[in-house]
Amino acid sequence: CVKVFISKIIRRKKQMSEFSYLSQKILDSPTLGDPYDHIQIDNFLNDDHLSKVLNNSQVHFSEIASHEELIQTLLDKKYEIISFPGCKVDINEYLARLHSGVWTYKDGVPIDSFGITFRLTDYQDTFLKSLITYLNGDEFHNSIKKRFNIEENTEIISAVQKNLTKYQISPHPDVSTKSMTYLININKDESVSEYGVHTHMLKFKPEYDYIYGVWEKGDLEREWVPWDWCDTVKTHSPNNSLIMFKPSHKTLHAVNLDYPHLKFQRTQIYGNLNYPDRPKKEYRPNKYKDLDKK
């Protein structure tokens, strides 16, 4: 019996990861209710792990001389341009807009600029690769589902991402096929906060809060809405801080970047859970004005 007991302990230790404490933090985190239910965990990575992330040459590097050089540096470091809300994938158009200062995104969408998002796809450092592998693995995935009582089938994606300047997405609650949104700030240091690169968590102004009821009915997909319909309640700014929430008709969040991305880049570990088996609802692009009773 003693041998069996010891064998079980040894197997359990082998199964545990050096990152298991991250899953435990998710499970132990209290729910914050303003402006909607979410969790925030400051000092998410321990000091040793954070240092390894921030000092990784794929994550952060020295100031760059030009926009063209920045793009090439990111490509050389194995980042890829991805299709992302509030962004385009055409490098030449993006560079032309940066040089001209003239911005348009899409007719009728309540934003006035666009960015480019780069996702790291080839993790060359053993530690960073292990961390991202863990954040895409079963233990972390299941801790999120358990913490938020999610029983439906879900898929997880976690990755290091950089959003370049002019990236903008107006207040939105996320689409109904998304099960969970989470963000971990891993910027160079706290000084980036002065440039307003962080995620806003918002609520509708009183004259627009009837829209919650429209979205709660769930007949159509939830849309982007103008900034001036909302008030920012909280800005998620601390470095090494995680926010996580289960999208609903209330989970308004937004980003509006205009910062010197040659000095540094807005950098996060971006993650979400999706419902792969849910049918998509009808999405009516550029119809946000129909929500406005005024």
Side-chain angles (χ1 to χ4, degrees):
C1 291
V2 173
K3 288 183 178 180
V4 172
F5 178 71
I6 293 174
S7 177
K8 287 182 177 179
I9 293 176
I10 292 173
R11 285 200 303 270
R12 189 178 298 119
K13 287 184 176 180
K14 286 182 178 179
Q15 290 170 355
M16 289 185 67
S17 163
E18 64 175 314
F19 304 113
S20 292
Y21 73 96
L22 300 175
S23 293
Q24 194 60 48
K25 284 188 175 186
I26 298 295
L27 293 169
D28 294 341
S29 58
T31 299
L32 306 177
D34 194 20
Y36 41 79
D37 285 354
H38 67 284
I39 64 174
Q40 176 170 332
I41 306 174
D42 296 335
N43 302 311
F44 186 59
L45 297 168
N46 67 32
D47 291 345
D48 178 52
H49 290 171
L50 177 64
S51 177
K52 288 177 179 177
V53 170
L54 298 186
N55 291 302
N56 186 287
S57 61
Q58 278 191 294
V59 177
H60 295 301
F61 37 84
S62 301
E63 185 172 340
I64 302 295
S66 69
H67 302 307
E68 290 79 4
E69 185 182 345
L70 172 60
I71 299 294
Q72 190 58 54
T73 297
L74 289 168
L75 294 174
D76 289 344
K77 289 184 177 292
K78 307 304 180 182
Y79 286 82
E80 292 183 3
I81 296 172
I82 62 169
S83 178
F84 205 69
C87 295
K88 292 191 177 182
V89 297
D90 188 328
I91 294 177
N92 292 328
E93 181 181 4
Y94 178 66
L95 290 172
R97 300 284 189 172
L98 282 174
H99 290 302
S100 70
V102 178
W103 297 89
T104 55
Y105 180 54
K106 294 178 182 177
D107 290 340
V109 176
I111 60 175
D112 54 18
S113 67
F114 62 86
I116 281 189
T117 291
F118 283 85
R119 178 175 291 174
L120 188 54
T121 57
D122 182 1
Y123 297 89
Q124 299 177 334
D125 172 72
T126 301
F127 170 80
L128 190 60
K129 183 176 182 179
S130 296
L131 172 61
I132 299 303
T133 298
Y134 179 80
L135 295 178
N136 282 306
D138 290 341
E139 185 173 77
F140 190 69
H141 188 177
N142 290 333
S143 71
I144 297 172
K145 297 185 71 168
K146 182 176 180 180
R147 171 63 182 77
F148 289 88
N149 299 312
I150 300 170
E151 296 183 356
E152 196 170 339
N153 181 37
T154 56
E155 296 175 342
I156 190 169
I157 175 66
S158 307
V160 173
Q161 288 190 179
K162 289 180 178 284
N163 306 120
L164 301 191
T165 191
K166 295 300 182 178
Y167 164 65
Q168 185 182 151
I169 181 167
S170 64
H172 66 292
D174 278 337
V175 295
S176 56
T177 54
K178 185 178 284 191
S179 168
M180 186 66 55
T181 294
Y182 84 83
L183 307 168
I184 306 169
N185 289 332
I186 51 169
N187 292 300
K188 258 187 175 180
D189 53 51
E190 295 289 357
S191 67
V192 305
S193 293
E194 67 180 281
Y195 296 100
V197 298
H198 299 301
T199 301
H200 293 247
M201 302 174 73
L202 311 97
K203 65 179 180 181
F204 278 121
K205 293 178 178 179
E207 60 266 35
Y208 286 103
D209 65 4
Y210 61 85
I211 297 175
Y212 289 134
V214 176
W215 283 343
E216 190 174 17
K217 289 179 181 178
D219 298 330
L220 298 168
E221 194 55 86
R222 303 182 288 251
E223 304 177 46
W224 299 7
V225 297
W227 284 82
D228 60 8
W229 292 11
C230 308
D231 290 318
T232 295
V233 176
K234 175 179 180 178
T235 303
H236 176 233
S237 58
N239 220 27
N240 192 27
S241 175
L242 170 144
I243 56 168
M244 182 179 288
F245 54 86
K246 187 176 180 180
S248 74
H249 61 286
K250 288 191 173 183
T251 52
L252 288 167
H253 56 292
V255 182
N256 188 2
L257 304 187
D258 187 359
Y259 74 100
H261 66 191
L262 300 182
K263 291 184 177 181
F264 68 92
Q265 301 80 45
R266 181 191 196 237
T267 310
Q268 296 179 317
I269 296 176
Y270 168 87
N272 60 62
L273 272 63
N274 293 308
Y275 295 117
D277 303 324
R278 278 194 181 184
K280 293 182 178 180
K281 294 181 180 180
E282 180 185 356
Y283 180 70
R284 304 182 307 155
N286 312 337
K287 295 294 185 180
Y288 71 92
K289 292 180 180 179
D290 293 348
L291 296 171
D292 191 353
K293 287 184 178 180
K294 295 182 180 181

